[in-house]
Amino acid sequence: MLYAYDDNGKLSSLYQLSKEHIEQLKKEKTYFCPTCKESLQIRSGRLHTAHFAHFPSSNCERKHLGESEYHESGKWLLYQWLNRQGYDVAMEFFLKGTNQRPDLFFTVGDKRIAIEFQCSSIPPDIIEKRTQSFHDAGIFPLWIIGKNQYRQKGKHQLLHTSFHRSLMYRFHNNFMMYYLDVKAQTIIIADHIQGASTTLCYATPRFYSLKSFTFPQLFTSASYPSFSYLNIWKKSMYHLRTTYHRGVGSEERQWRQYLYLKGKHFTLIPSVCFLPVPSQSIYHMKSYMWQTRFILDHFLDKPIGDVIKNEQKVRCTTINQYQADPIHEYILLLGKLGFVEKVGSGEWVKRKEIQFPTHIDQALEEDKKVMDFLRSETNVLL
């Protein structure tokens, strides 16, 4: 481990200390494990980063955790960052109500905060379980992802798997994620996140040095995204219509088969079956797949004037407990486009038919009309 308590009760680290300084500490100081309080030894050498270690006879649970140097370095950086701002921070403090040891724990006023620095990809259900236990104990969980999980595919395009989707927040009407670049000692805020696919998203990344950045600034947001999601939507729709991909996943193959059995082709879905809803970034299914199913299963066979009910209960939840309903957002957009009209709580009346294009040129022309309408709606993605 890279940090331990010294004999004065001060949390200390060997991180980035000189060889001479470390040799001096071996002679002058005694160090203790933050978890079990047993005495530790200092190990250093040419082939290893200097660190604290338990003696062979120890049974401390921490001895078997096998945390990476990157993870420990990141926790130490965050500890120092918060400590410099005057926060009374505890590392790996055991929370009885949750039976967990968050990487960092501190209070701001009457709010208790647990920080988890997550460098490895873990299943979303584990994240959900740990997050819920914090909420149940009245603790705000702040998950910060390691820079090793930050994969930029283009200027505004990021890797966005189920792991990433499970670690998103919503502040100021925007979806956000937090990363820590340990080497550069920089916080990265991925802001204005919009879902592109099950593995990619678009975002405005903001970079801040820990030397000049404060904890409250984590929860601010850029006024506007530095990219046009509508332009991205247009390109994605054009790509879907004009480029055939044989090697798609099982979910998409099932969707194509579903359309085939309905007498439809996936390149000729209506433009309104691929609308950019705000919470797509935390929904596990591609937008054109679930929207097409909604139109075919709940809209197309109903006559004008019939009631359209939002009977599909899809709830996507962020870490800070924002409940998103992508289907409700989608129906709102259909309302803006004049296909439905709201008549009651959760009930809409069908006002206009949705036609499936019969050829590509017709589909592309429809895409342009829908695009022009969405551009005229300034808050369409909020």
Side-chain angles (χ1 to χ4, degrees):
M1 68 187 76
L2 297 181
Y3 47 83
Y5 287 107
D6 64 17
D7 40 20
N8 294 318
K10 180 183 177 183
L11 195 62
S12 304
S13 176
L14 303 175
Y15 184 60
Q16 294 182 330
L17 296 183
S18 68
K19 180 180 178 181
E20 293 75 16
H21 193 175
I22 291 170
E23 291 301 318
Q24 184 179 356
L25 291 175
K26 284 183 180 180
K27 301 173 184 177
E28 298 178 354
K29 292 277 188 177
T30 303
Y31 292 93
F32 302 90
C33 174
T35 302
C36 68
K37 305 301 186 289
E38 292 178 356
S39 61
L40 302 170
Q41 57 184 318
I42 294 177
R43 287 182 176 172
S44 60
R46 290 185 302 170
L47 302 179
H48 303 284
T49 301
H51 63 281
F52 300 105
H54 284 88
F55 289 95
S57 59
S58 173
N59 291 316
C60 178
E61 62 183 69
R62 184 180 175 81
K63 184 179 177 183
H64 308 289
L65 288 177
E67 288 186 348
S68 70
E69 181 181 333
Y70 187 87
H71 185 215
E72 287 211 290
S73 300
K75 287 197 294 186
W76 181 247
L77 277 176
L78 291 170
Y79 172 84
Q80 290 181 304
W81 174 61
L82 292 166
N83 198 260
R84 285 197 302 268
Q85 297 173 64
Y87 297 110
D88 184 13
V89 190
M91 295 188 76
E92 300 173 37
F93 180 75
F94 181 71
L95 298 170
K96 293 182 181 179
T98 67
N99 201 33
Q100 294 191 69
R101 292 183 182 274
D103 291 330
L104 301 168
F105 180 75
F106 63 109
T107 60
V108 179
D110 60 352
K111 184 179 278 297
R112 299 192 296 164
I113 299 170
I115 293 182
E116 294 281 21
F117 180 48
Q118 191 63 42
C119 302
S120 59
S121 178
I122 59 177
D125 60 330
I126 294 178
I127 295 170
E128 182 180 353
K129 183 179 179 180
R130 288 166 64 180
T131 296
Q132 190 58 52
S133 70
F134 287 130
H135 282 302
D136 290 344
I139 298 168
F140 176 78
L142 178 62
W143 291 78
I144 298 177
I145 311 169
K147 173 65 162 50
N148 58 320
Q149 296 290 337
Y150 180 88
R151 315 279 175 79
Q152 200 160 2
K153 302 294 183 178
K155 186 176 181 181
H156 297 290
Q157 201 171 24
L158 303 177
L159 179 71
H160 195 64
T161 64
S162 59
F163 165 73
H164 297 84
R165 284 192 293 277
S166 65
L167 292 174
M168 290 180 61
Y169 293 80
R170 184 170 170 91
F171 296 113
H172 313 290
N173 291 324
N174 296 321
F175 291 101
M176 308 166 70
M177 282 188 296
Y178 301 101
Y179 295 86
L180 174 66
D181 185 337
V182 175
K183 185 176 180 181
Q185 299 190 19
T186 300
I187 286 283
I188 306 170
I189 301 178
D191 199 358
H192 292 280
I193 298 173
Q194 290 287 344
S197 70
T198 54
T199 58
L200 294 172
C201 73
Y202 289 88
T204 299
R206 296 185 282 138
F207 301 82
Y208 299 99
S209 169
L210 288 176
K211 295 178 181 178
S212 57
F213 189 67
T214 65
F215 177 73
Q217 288 178 286
L218 283 172
F219 309 104
T220 62
S221 179
S223 299
Y224 299 100
S226 57
F227 62 92
S228 172
Y229 190 67
L230 290 180
N231 285 340
I232 294 165
W233 172 81
K234 182 181 179 182
K235 291 178 182 178
S236 299
M237 193 62 172
Y238 183 83
H239 186 71
L240 177 69
R241 297 202 189 283
T242 60
T243 306
Y244 179 74
H245 291 282
R246 186 180 300 275
V248 296
S250 60
E251 193 173 56
E252 185 137 0
R253 287 197 302 272
Q254 291 173 17
W255 174 70
R256 290 181 180 182
Q257 179 67 12
Y258 163 82
L259 288 175
Y260 174 78
L261 294 174
K262 295 279 188 179
K264 310 296 182 183
H265 194 271
F266 68 91
T267 63
L268 295 175
I269 61 173
S271 305
V272 294
C273 288
F274 194 6
L275 294 181
V277 299
S279 62
Q280 182 60 44
S281 55
I282 56 174
Y283 195 20
H284 65 87
M285 187 181 293
K286 294 177 181 178
S287 59
Y288 55 82
M289 292 165 60
W290 66 263
Q291 289 179 22
T292 305
R293 287 182 179 272
F294 179 84
I295 292 302
L296 287 170
D297 294 344
H298 302 284
F299 185 92
L300 210 62
D301 60 346
K302 293 185 180 293
I304 300 295
D306 207 356
V307 172
I308 307 292
K309 293 185 178 180
N310 181 13
E311 296 175 338
Q312 289 180 268
K313 300 301 179 184
V314 176
R315 292 291 185 271
C316 304
T317 307
T318 63
I319 292 290
N320 58 327
Q321 296 187 308
Y322 172 78
Q323 293 278 345
D325 185 346
I327 292 179
H328 178 68
E329 295 168 358
Y330 179 55
I331 295 174
L332 287 175
L333 277 176
L334 291 179
K336 289 178 178 291
L337 289 160
F339 292 101
V340 296
E341 180 184 358
K342 191 172 184 178
V343 294
S345 178
E347 291 190 348
W348 300 72
V349 169
K350 181 175 178 178
R351 293 301 185 202
K352 191 168 60 173
E353 292 289 357
I354 292 175
Q355 302 292 337
F356 275 69
T358 56
H359 53 82
I360 289 292
D361 289 341
Q362 181 186 356
L364 294 174
E365 182 60 30
E366 181 191 331
D367 292 349
K368 183 179 182 303
K369 289 179 181 178
V370 172
M371 177 73 166
D372 290 342
F373 179 84
L374 293 177
R375 285 188 186 282
S376 69
E377 293 288 320
T378 54
N379 294 321
V380 71
L381 294 179
L382 299 181

